[in-house]
Every structure is written in structure tokens, then in C-alpha cells.
Amino acid sequence: MGRLDRFVTAAALLVIVVLGFFPIANWIPGGNAADWYPSVLREWLSGTVLVAGAGLLLALLSRRVPALWSVGVGRAFGTLATRPGTTLVLALLAGAIYALVAHLIYDGKPLLIDEIIQTWHGRILADGALWTPVPAHPEFSSSMHKIDTGDRMYGQFPIGGPAM
């Protein structure tokens, strides 16, 4: 990558980052206004300063405290990744952490519409059916990702996800 390419890439990145903080919606005449922007901007900026400061502090400390970072750590991780079974162990560890967070933080309840519909469809499967009859007033029970055709109602996702 040449010098000019690096400069253009850095300039494009800077423009994208700077434009990400501008309230463009507030500048459009007659359009929607983002009244919440000033408070959110303060939160973004304080969070960015905290993260950048912590990163800078760790970078400076890593030069003075050898325990924070030692030469060859990257090679050690590369060697570890080539061993058989590492992917399986990492996948199981990630799954265990996900399950822990789901139960401790979210109380094991679905959060997004995909999860809600898969849970709903999973309950139908647990009752021993592939679908449920459409209720008398489907307008009170219809939802995104829920299919109601004729007299049957089920989730749009392949059966494997809800079955889990």
C-alpha cells in the first residue's frame, strides 16, 4: 500500500468518524429533529475519552510492566490456534459465557423479535405440534416473523432453531 493510498484511507476514515458525531437530522429543514443529540453526544464523548485514556494508559504501562505484555504472546496464540480441539474448546467456552450472560443479565428471557418468535414457536413444538390454529382475532396476536396462513400460525424460522 503506497503513501497516497494510506493518506486517502486515513482521510476517509476521519471523515466517516467526524460525520458520525454531527446531528445531520437537525440540519434538514422541516425534517425530524434529534432533540436527544446533545445529551447523547456528551455520553459518547465521555465514553470515548475514558476508553481512549484507558487504552493509552495500558499501552504506556505495557512498556514498563512486563507482566502486561510480553514479546511472543501473539506467536503463542497462533501456535495454540493450530492445535486440534482448540476451536471446539473456544466454541464451548463462548457458549458457556453466552448462557451465563443470558441467565444472569437477561434472566433467560428473549430480548429481540427473532428470539421472541423462536421461543413462541418452541412452545408450540413442546406441545407436540408444528403449528397452532389462528385465533378468532389474529390482529391481536400477529407479529413480525410470525406466519399466519389460512388456519395455521407458526414462526418463519427453520424448525431447528425453535426446536433448540
Side-chain angles (χ1 to χ4, degrees):
M1 186 183 250
R3 244 182 173 176
L4 182 62
D5 292 339
R6 286 187 195 145
F7 175 75
V8 169
T9 303
L13 179 64
L14 182 65
V15 167
I16 290 170
V17 167
V18 168
L19 286 178
F21 285 99
F22 283 135
I24 296 172
N26 288 350
W27 300 341
I28 300 171
N32 295 330
D35 299 329
W36 48 264
Y37 181 76
S39 63
V40 170
L41 179 63
R42 280 191 298 275
E43 291 176 17
W44 285 340
L45 290 176
S46 63
T48 301
V49 167
L50 286 172
V51 169
L56 181 63
L57 181 64
L58 283 173
L60 292 173
L61 280 176
S62 69
R63 291 181 169 195
R64 304 231 182 236
V65 181
L68 285 177
W69 188 263
S70 59
V71 177
V73 170
R75 273 185 251 114
F77 282 125
T79 304
L80 180 66
T82 60
R83 291 186 181 166
T86 302
T87 305
L88 178 63
V89 169
L90 288 176
L92 291 173
L93 180 66
I97 291 171
Y98 171 75
L100 190 67
V101 167
H103 285 283
L104 293 179
I105 295 175
Y106 297 115
D107 201 26
K109 295 192 171 49
L111 179 66
L112 303 172
I113 187 70
D114 296 5
E115 297 167 345
I116 292 169
I117 297 302
Q118 288 193 22
T119 302
W120 172 79
H121 197 181
R123 288 182 183 140
I124 294 170
L125 295 173
D127 288 340
L130 294 175
W131 50 271
T132 188
V134 174
H137 298 283
E139 61 272 12
F140 295 117
S141 64
S142 69
S143 171
M144 289 175 52
H145 306 322
K146 206 184 265 188
I147 309 294
D148 49 353
T149 57
D151 59 343
R152 297 179 181 181
M153 210 168 181
Y154 48 90
Q156 77 166 14
F157 300 102
I159 206 74
M164 290 291 291

